[in-house]
Amino acid sequence: MGIYPISEVIRKTREGKHITRKQLCEGICDDRTLRRIEVGEQTPSRANAAALMKRLGKDKEPYSLFVHCSDVEVYLEWETLENLITNNAYKEAEEYLAEFEGKLDLDDKVNQQFIKRLHALIDYRLGRIDSETRRIQLIEALRCTIPKYQDGSIPKGIFSRYEVRLFCNIAMTYAEEGKYETALSLLQQLERYFKEIRVDQEERAISEALVLSNLGQTLGRMGKIQEAIKAEEQARILCEKMGKMGMLPNIIYNIAYGKEVLEESKEACQELFQQAYYIAKLCGNYKIMEHIKEHIN
């Protein structure tokens, strides 16, 4: 599954590494050819694309997968693990993760990142670590693939779906601690990233929608309800456009809750809560179903 055009990967990675076009293309192609490739006017040959990516250190990094493994069964198990996390079944997820971890090549940085993030999430949700410790562990996970990451600043470059998720996770640890301005800064940097990047619509419906929803939650905690609803509505449009249902229950719930706080029509709010409930039921997200039911009652 393609997420970023090859031209965008080359351009953003080159800029992030502070390499000139001349330095990158030397011995591969001429400067004018590279410029046309980067702006999408020309598709690089397979040999040139491979050579450019290798020089950028990106020849072994796909941008659509969460874990690296050639075994299809392992990918199916990964999906099971993600579903357990989605439904807040953290004890069961921990047991599953212990077995799953043994099936991955842990010398692979992407796999290391995946495992570190899940351990941080599970330990936090089970009350073993506080928010600050979780953030330290999330930053450590992010540095598996972005070694020069400095907390609070989104570097130049191009990011995988999982890296975007880690940025969001880190931002929300600040929001949970009441450090809203820091959380807001990180999320707004990510929002700008998606405004500047060329990415396919499916990826935009997943990663950008996640950023916007987290932005909405942070704005809501800051009492900026109208802005929060606007961000969540943008996230909703992205998800609905591509039929991505997973995040919709939370997004619609947040919209309904914001409208309720603003004391808008009770009937309209009730309708939104019910929409969130039935989409959660369709997705098998029983935790959010229970939460919505309690709220309606």
Side-chain angles (χ1 to χ4, degrees):
M1 175 180 66
I3 293 177
Y4 299 100
I6 185 68
S7 58
E8 199 72 351
V9 175
I10 291 170
R11 179 179 69 87
K12 295 294 286 186
T13 304
R14 178 183 64 77
E15 291 174 350
K17 290 180 176 287
H18 306 288
I19 300 172
T20 66
R21 285 198 184 100
K22 186 176 180 179
Q23 289 171 322
L24 176 58
C25 69
E26 186 177 358
I28 300 173
C29 61
D30 62 47
D31 184 82
R32 286 175 298 177
T33 298
L34 180 57
R35 186 198 65 79
R36 289 196 296 271
I37 289 170
E38 288 191 344
V39 298
E41 293 178 356
Q42 179 175 330
T43 302
S45 67
R46 182 171 296 182
N48 281 354
L52 291 168
M53 292 293 280
K54 185 173 183 179
R55 186 164 289 176
L56 289 167
K58 293 290 184 181
D59 53 318
K60 297 180 180 178
E61 295 186 25
Y63 289 86
S64 59
L65 301 177
F66 290 104
V67 293
H68 288 174
C69 186
S70 59
D71 190 340
V72 175
E73 291 298 322
V74 173
Y75 284 118
L76 295 176
E77 291 182 29
W78 160 69
E79 290 180 353
T80 300
L81 182 56
E82 287 287 347
N83 287 333
L84 290 171
I85 294 294
T86 298
N87 285 293
N88 298 333
Y90 297 112
K91 287 295 291 183
E92 190 175 347
E94 182 176 42
E95 295 171 4
Y96 203 93
L97 178 60
E99 183 178 346
F100 181 77
E101 193 171 343
K103 299 178 181 180
L104 295 179
D105 174 10
L106 296 183
D107 289 329
D108 184 287
K109 291 181 179 180
V110 172
N111 292 347
Q112 289 176 23
Q113 185 174 80
F114 176 80
I115 296 299
K116 285 177 183 289
R117 174 187 174 268
L118 286 191
H119 277 301
L121 173 62
I122 290 169
D123 284 345
Y124 177 69
R125 294 302 182 190
L126 293 178
R128 296 171 184 158
I129 59 175
D130 60 15
S131 181
E132 184 177 1
T133 303
R134 181 191 176 198
R135 180 166 60 253
I136 291 169
Q137 294 181 2
L138 291 171
I139 291 171
E140 182 183 343
L142 189 56
R143 285 177 179 159
C144 288
T145 56
I146 309 177
K148 294 185 179 180
Y149 171 69
Q150 296 296 318
D151 189 25
S153 178
I154 305 298
K156 287 186 177 181
I158 196 160
F159 309 118
S160 70
R161 184 183 302 176
Y162 210 68
E163 288 166 342
V164 171
R165 183 180 289 188
L166 274 163
F167 283 130
C168 288
N169 290 161
I170 291 166
M172 295 312 288
T173 64
Y174 282 114
E176 288 164 5
E177 295 170 18
K179 299 174 182 177
Y180 301 127
E181 293 298 338
T182 304
L184 192 62
S185 173
L186 276 166
L187 293 166
Q188 287 175 333
Q189 288 176 67
L190 285 171
E191 185 183 23
R192 286 194 295 273
Y193 166 78
F194 278 104
K195 286 179 179 178
E196 296 169 358
I197 202 81
R198 283 175 290 162
V199 59
D200 74 20
Q201 291 304 305
E202 181 176 2
E203 186 60 23
R204 202 170 284 284
I206 295 170
S207 293
E208 187 178 9
L210 176 65
V211 171
L212 287 167
S213 183
N214 282 310
L215 179 62
Q217 291 174 54
T218 301
L219 288 166
R221 292 183 182 195
M222 297 173 74
K224 299 180 179 182
I225 308 302
Q226 292 282 13
E227 292 178 54
I229 293 173
K230 182 180 178 181
E232 296 282 7
E233 288 283 13
Q234 289 177 304
R236 179 180 182 175
I237 290 168
L238 286 172
C239 290
E240 290 180 342
K241 184 177 180 180
M242 293 302 296
K244 296 298 178 182
M245 307 290 282
M247 285 188 290
L248 269 177
N250 283 303
I251 290 170
I252 296 173
Y253 174 83
N254 291 338
I255 294 169
Y257 184 77
K259 289 179 178 291
E260 189 177 61
V261 170
L262 293 176
E263 298 182 347
E264 296 192 12
S265 163
K266 183 177 179 181
E267 290 75 18
C269 292
Q270 186 84 354
E271 183 179 342
L272 283 170
F273 282 126
Q274 288 174 346
Q275 282 181 27
Y277 177 86
Y278 286 113
I279 294 172
K281 186 175 183 180
L282 184 65
C283 296
N285 193 334
Y286 304 111
K287 189 72 175 181
I288 188 69
M289 284 172 61
E290 289 302 315
H291 183 70
I292 294 168
K293 187 186 292 185
E294 288 176 12
H295 189 103
I296 292 174
N297 290 339

